[in-house]
Amino acid sequence: MPRERLFPLAPIERLIKKGGAERVSATATRTLRELLEDLTLKIASAARELAEHAGRKTITADDIKLAYKQLFG
């Protein structure tokens, strides 16, 4: 069963074009969406762990930033 996609394709394509691409294939847009969703889930999970470790249920912007830094330097 295919996974539900959370990010719409149009903003992903706009991001690719903002990065300098003149033309973008549909498969490139879908692939970047999959990767962004995967990275987002990893960051969110790490941020949840940080919040839990701090005794909180609420994830803060600082949790997101620290999770990103821990995962990607």
Side-chain angles (χ1 to χ4, degrees):
M1 184 157 109
R3 193 171 98 192
E4 174 193 7
R5 294 292 165 203
L6 303 173
F7 296 163
L9 289 172
I12 304 296
E13 183 176 348
R14 285 194 299 272
L15 284 170
I16 296 170
K17 286 184 176 182
K18 191 172 184 175
E22 194 170 314
R23 295 176 54 179
V24 183
S25 73
T27 55
T29 304
R30 286 192 303 271
T31 299
L32 183 57
R33 174 176 64 182
E34 290 173 16
L35 293 171
L36 288 172
E37 288 179 353
D38 183 56
L39 292 173
T40 301
L41 290 171
K42 286 179 180 169
I43 293 168
S45 179
R48 179 192 47 79
E49 290 176 10
L50 290 167
E52 284 180 1
H53 181 73
R56 294 182 279 105
K57 291 184 179 182
T58 302
I59 294 173
T60 65
D62 287 339
D63 294 326
I64 297 290
K65 290 175 188 175
L66 183 56
Y68 175 83
K69 190 173 185 177
Q70 287 178 345
L71 291 169
F72 304 106

